[in-house]
Amino acid sequence: MYFLDDRNALDSSEIKILRVFEALEDNPSQTQRELSQRLNISLGLINLFINRLLRKGYFKADLISKKRIQYSLTPEGKAEKTRLAYLYNNYSIEFYKKARATFKALFAKLIEQGVNGVYFRGVSELTEIAYIVLLDSTLELAGVIDDKKAGKIFIKYKIMDSSVLDKIKENEVVIDTQMDSLHSMDIK
């Protein structure tokens, strides 16, 4: 079995906080509602994050009108943003390396078993990594399946819906390339 080691990963709230840092630095006078809509994070969670960042001294808030606050990143805030960005970048690089190694091992095993073609199920960053690794193998990409994105294009392949699953040949397999699938990929 191949698993990604997530001990050095940022948790989802730290990633959201990093996004809040970046968004407030880009536009320091946006409202919490605007920030919530821009980042697709609930208004209540945005309020919680901003209050936590203010309490920790990462931002300073100045009232610029009755309904508008301007946020200024403090030196402590810059240090924290840099720390989170560093962790995020390191995690991203490690994720890529481990995903690449996992797909390389999986594709070698599939070739050994006589598989000629693969379908990727799900379109994500993981699908892009799988595709890059696939190019270095003798396997052919038979297609990409994603019900939510059917009809769109992934690189040069038209994304199909799951009705194509009934037409898969004996020497083809489907690989789940949704973002959470790599953590439990079983290679025997």
Side-chain angles (χ1 to χ4, degrees):
M1 284 195 170
Y2 288 75
F3 295 98
L4 284 179
D5 179 2
D6 284 342
R7 285 177 289 181
N8 295 323
L10 294 172
D11 65 35
S12 63
S13 68
E14 287 177 310
I15 292 170
K16 288 175 184 172
I17 289 171
L18 177 59
R19 292 175 59 211
V20 169
F21 269 117
E22 291 169 343
L24 286 177
E25 197 169 36
D26 287 346
N27 182 357
S29 61
Q30 63 190 307
T31 66
Q32 289 185 13
R33 185 170 309 282
E34 291 166 343
L35 189 61
S36 168
Q37 291 168 347
R38 176 178 173 186
L39 299 179
N40 198 25
I41 299 173
S42 75
L43 183 57
L45 198 52
I46 288 292
N47 184 272
L48 177 79
F49 287 153
I50 288 177
N51 285 332
R52 183 183 306 157
L53 296 172
L54 287 168
R55 233 183 359 266
K56 290 184 174 185
Y58 296 153
F59 279 97
K60 190 177 99 180
D62 296 313
L63 196 61
I64 56 175
S65 74
K66 192 173 184 178
K67 292 188 175 189
R68 186 124 352 222
I69 296 173
Q70 181 159 334
Y71 299 97
S72 305
L73 197 58
T74 65
E76 294 83 5
K78 286 181 183 179
E80 179 63 6
K81 179 184 172 223
T82 301
R83 184 188 75 80
L84 290 173
Y86 176 81
L87 290 174
Y88 182 77
N89 287 336
N90 281 347
Y91 173 72
S92 296
I93 290 166
E94 286 304 309
F95 180 86
Y96 175 80
K97 286 178 184 176
K98 290 176 183 181
R100 188 173 172 86
T102 299
F103 282 118
K104 187 174 181 178
L106 174 62
F107 295 158
K109 194 68 169 173
L110 292 174
I111 291 166
E112 192 178 287
Q113 294 172 353
V115 172
N116 295 327
V118 298
Y119 286 86
F120 293 149
R121 184 168 192 161
V123 176
S124 68
E125 290 88 354
L126 192 56
T127 315
E128 294 174 15
I129 297 169
Y131 181 74
I132 291 167
V133 177
L134 186 75
L135 293 175
D136 288 336
S137 77
T138 59
L139 292 171
E140 294 292 324
L141 181 58
V144 180
I145 304 165
D146 191 320
D147 288 332
K148 293 179 182 172
K149 297 179 181 176
K152 295 182 179 172
I153 301 294
F154 171 77
I155 303 181
K156 61 181 179 179
Y157 298 88
K158 186 174 182 180
I159 301 169
M160 301 173 271
D161 64 34
S162 55
S163 66
V164 75
L165 291 171
D166 296 334
K167 299 172 185 136
I168 293 176
K169 299 174 188 166
E170 196 173 298
N171 63 346
E172 296 176 332
V173 297
V174 177
I175 299 172
D176 187 2
T177 55
Q178 297 173 69
M179 280 307 287
D180 59 351
S181 64
L182 189 64
H183 297 282
S184 60
M185 195 171 281
D186 190 6
I187 304 171
K188 296 179 181 173

